[in-house]
Amino acid sequence: MGGRQTGRRRQRLRLVVVPRLHLALVAASLLAIAAGVAYARHLATVSWTIQATVSGKVVVIDPGHGGDDPGTLGVDGVLEKDVTLPIAQRLREVCGSHAVYALLTRSKDASVAEGIWDPGRRRDELQARADLANRWRADVFISVHANSFPESYWHGAQTFHYPGDQRSRRLALAIQQQLVKRHLTPDYREALPGRYYVLHQVQAPAVLVEVGFLSNPQESRNLQDPAYQRRLADAIFAGLVDFWLAERRSPDQAGMTEPRYEYP
Ligand SMILES: [Zn+2]
């Protein structure tokens, strides 16, 4: 008898519990669908905003050195000019896939200025690159370089802007933030001012990205790896998007403090 009663109670319980569970599942599913739709709409809005902000922009990318000017020499014998070019090319690819018009100051292993290159004409070479950016009406100029230091343990990418130029500084900060976020540089490495001639001569916001240290064996290997080069290009592009979105929101973004010291 006791068993039958328990059975009936169980049955009653099941009658009550099952629909509730069923309702809960239906509600959860509906919620999930609603959340999914909202999220998809959000993504669409975000990507539309990004696309509307970046499309048609002109980015001039400057692969450092080239031709008779090798740049710095890596621990494994790689030359800076042979690392900066593929990274610049990958950045151009990333820009192109987002309808951003990207131009390179050089697309082969050669100098940009007319005539024979020699170290005494370094300034002419830099001027020729800046002239191209100005002639092409660049919205942004990005010079790609690789670093070197006597001690091999230094590593990480770093972005520089000309001192006193606030738009360039915001661009440098945005790119550096992405490099840190994507673990392409330690978080203590900040965007810094640097008195680079080429940056001074470009009218658009201009930065120089030292993509890493060729004096560090691991980083030198990374910088020659297409997958790592692509990660760098993605990070730089993400920084560009952040910069343009911020400019769209508030063109004269204030409240940023100056970095503590200047790069020589
Ligand atoms: Zn260089």
Side-chain angles (χ1 to χ4, degrees):
M1 242 168 70
R4 269 183 73 181
Q5 252 186 350
T6 315
R8 213 175 284 159
R9 208 179 294 142
R10 260 192 212 137
Q11 209 170 19
R12 207 182 298 144
L13 268 176
R14 208 190 297 147
L15 279 171
V16 175
V17 168
V18 170
R20 267 197 196 156
L21 185 69
H22 188 69
L23 272 176
L25 278 172
V26 169
S29 310
L30 283 173
L31 269 174
I33 291 165
V37 168
Y39 186 62
R41 272 208 192 133
H42 165 76
L43 279 184
T45 312
V46 166
S47 62
W48 184 85
T49 309
I50 290 174
Q51 211 53 56
T53 306
V54 306
S55 68
K57 289 268 200 287
V58 177
V59 180
V60 173
I61 308 163
D62 174 41
H65 313 280
D68 294 328
D69 170 19
T72 194
L73 175 69
V75 273
D76 49 6
V78 72
L79 302 173
E80 183 183 355
K81 65 171 183 173
D82 295 327
V83 166
T84 57
L85 183 58
I87 294 171
Q89 285 167 332
R90 283 181 210 290
L91 180 54
R92 179 177 57 182
E93 282 164 24
V94 176
C95 286
S97 63
H98 290 85
V100 173
Y101 196 43
L103 294 154
L104 299 185
T105 55
R106 71 172 174 99
S107 49
K108 56 181 192 288
D109 182 16
S111 54
V112 175
E114 298 283 321
I116 310 288
W117 189 89
D118 73 82
R121 292 185 58 222
R122 194 180 298 271
R123 187 162 279 218
D124 293 351
E125 176 64 22
L126 296 172
Q127 188 63 53
R129 293 170 189 235
D131 288 347
L132 281 180
N134 295 333
R135 196 185 314 151
W136 290 336
R137 297 178 184 277
D139 287 301
V140 152
F141 176 84
I142 298 171
S143 193
V144 178
H145 284 256
N147 228 328
S148 179
F149 209 69
E151 284 90 37
S152 65
Y153 55 82
W154 293 109
H155 67 280
Q158 191 156 27
T159 314
F160 296 86
H161 62 90
Y162 203 80
D165 180 347
Q166 290 307 307
R167 283 184 79 202
S168 296
R169 181 166 172 271
R170 288 196 288 274
L171 174 60
L173 286 169
I175 291 175
Q176 190 66 26
Q177 268 174 12
Q178 286 289 344
L179 290 166
V180 168
K181 196 173 138 189
R182 292 158 186 250
H183 309 290
L184 294 156
T185 194
D187 57 7
Y188 58 78
R189 244 181 229 300
E190 303 173 319
L192 289 178
R195 295 190 173 275
Y196 292 98
Y197 182 77
V198 70
L199 299 185
H200 186 251
Q201 297 306 108
V202 173
Q203 283 150 17
V207 295
L208 187 145
V209 185
E210 295 276 8
V211 287
F213 286 76
L214 292 176
S215 43
N216 178 291
Q218 181 59 54
E219 197 152 72
S220 185
R221 269 196 300 280
N222 287 345
L223 291 171
Q224 296 166 65
D225 170 21
Y228 193 86
Q229 292 171 347
R230 175 61 196 238
R231 282 180 61 203
L232 280 165
D234 284 338
I236 295 168
F237 184 76
L240 261 178
V241 173
D242 287 347
F243 169 72
W244 281 325
L245 287 174
E247 282 222 318
R248 192 182 147 108
R249 279 194 299 269
S250 52
D252 301 307
Q253 217 178 36
M256 287 178 165
T257 52
E258 271 300 314
R260 292 185 303 270
Y261 61 96
E262 284 202 357
Y263 193 76

CSV table of all heavy atoms in Angstrom, one decimal, residues 64-65 71-72 80 84 144-147 208 210, ligand 1:
chain,number,residue,atom,x,y,z
A,64,GLY,N,61.2,50.0,-43.0
A,64,GLY,CA,62.5,50.7,-42.8
A,64,GLY,C,63.6,50.1,-43.6
A,64,GLY,O,63.7,49.0,-43.9
A,65,HIS,N,64.5,51.1,-44.0
A,65,HIS,CA,65.8,50.7,-44.7
A,65,HIS,C,65.5,50.1,-46.1
A,65,HIS,O,64.4,50.2,-46.6
A,65,HIS,CB,66.7,49.8,-43.8
A,65,HIS,CG,66.8,50.4,-42.4
A,65,HIS,ND1,67.6,51.4,-42.1
A,65,HIS,CD2,66.1,50.1,-41.3
A,65,HIS,CE1,67.5,51.7,-40.8
A,65,HIS,NE2,66.5,50.9,-40.3
A,71,GLY,N,70.1,48.4,-42.4
A,71,GLY,CA,69.5,48.6,-41.1
A,71,GLY,C,70.4,47.8,-40.1
A,71,GLY,O,71.6,47.6,-40.3
A,72,THR,N,69.8,47.4,-39.0
A,72,THR,CA,70.6,46.7,-38.0
A,72,THR,C,70.7,45.2,-38.4
A,72,THR,O,70.0,44.7,-39.2
A,72,THR,CB,69.9,46.8,-36.6
A,72,THR,OG1,70.8,46.4,-35.6
A,72,THR,CG2,68.6,46.0,-36.5
A,80,GLU,N,67.8,43.9,-40.9
A,80,GLU,CA,66.5,44.6,-40.5
A,80,GLU,C,65.7,44.9,-41.8
A,80,GLU,O,64.4,44.7,-41.7
A,80,GLU,CB,66.9,45.9,-39.8
A,80,GLU,CG,65.7,46.7,-39.4
A,80,GLU,CD,66.0,48.0,-38.7
A,80,GLU,OE1,67.2,48.3,-38.6
A,80,GLU,OE2,65.1,48.8,-38.4
A,84,THR,N,61.6,44.1,-42.1
A,84,THR,CA,60.6,45.2,-42.1
A,84,THR,C,59.6,45.1,-43.3
A,84,THR,O,58.4,45.4,-43.2
A,84,THR,CB,61.2,46.6,-42.1
A,84,THR,OG1,62.1,46.7,-43.2
A,84,THR,CG2,62.0,46.8,-40.8
A,144,VAL,N,58.0,51.0,-40.2
A,144,VAL,CA,58.2,49.7,-39.5
A,144,VAL,C,59.7,49.5,-39.4
A,144,VAL,O,60.5,49.5,-40.4
A,144,VAL,CB,57.6,48.5,-40.3
A,144,VAL,CG1,57.9,47.2,-39.6
A,144,VAL,CG2,56.1,48.7,-40.4
A,145,HIS,N,60.2,49.3,-38.2
A,145,HIS,CA,61.6,49.1,-38.0
A,145,HIS,C,61.8,47.9,-37.0
A,145,HIS,O,60.9,47.5,-36.3
A,145,HIS,CB,62.3,50.4,-37.4
A,145,HIS,CG,62.6,51.4,-38.4
A,145,HIS,ND1,63.8,51.7,-38.9
A,145,HIS,CD2,61.7,52.2,-39.0
A,145,HIS,CE1,63.7,52.6,-39.8
A,145,HIS,NE2,62.4,53.0,-39.9
A,146,ALA,N,63.1,47.4,-36.8
A,146,ALA,CA,63.4,46.4,-35.8
A,146,ALA,C,64.5,47.0,-35.0
A,146,ALA,O,65.4,47.7,-35.5
A,146,ALA,CB,63.7,45.1,-36.5
A,147,ASN,N,64.5,46.6,-33.7
A,147,ASN,CA,65.5,47.2,-32.8
A,147,ASN,C,66.7,46.2,-32.6
A,147,ASN,O,66.7,45.1,-33.0
A,147,ASN,CB,64.7,47.3,-31.4
A,147,ASN,CG,65.0,48.6,-30.8
A,147,ASN,OD1,66.1,49.2,-31.0
A,147,ASN,ND2,64.0,49.1,-30.1
A,208,LEU,N,56.4,55.4,-35.5
A,208,LEU,CA,57.4,54.4,-35.9
A,208,LEU,C,57.3,53.2,-35.0
A,208,LEU,O,57.3,53.4,-33.7
A,208,LEU,CB,58.8,55.0,-35.8
A,208,LEU,CG,60.0,54.3,-36.3
A,208,LEU,CD1,61.0,55.2,-36.9
A,208,LEU,CD2,60.7,53.4,-35.2
A,210,GLU,N,58.9,49.9,-33.7
A,210,GLU,CA,60.1,49.0,-33.6
A,210,GLU,C,59.4,47.6,-33.2
A,210,GLU,O,59.0,47.4,-32.1
A,210,GLU,CB,61.0,49.4,-32.4
A,210,GLU,CG,61.7,50.8,-32.7
A,210,GLU,CD,63.0,50.6,-33.6
A,210,GLU,OE1,63.2,49.5,-34.1
A,210,GLU,OE2,63.7,51.7,-33.7
B,1,ZN,ZN,65.6,50.8,-38.4
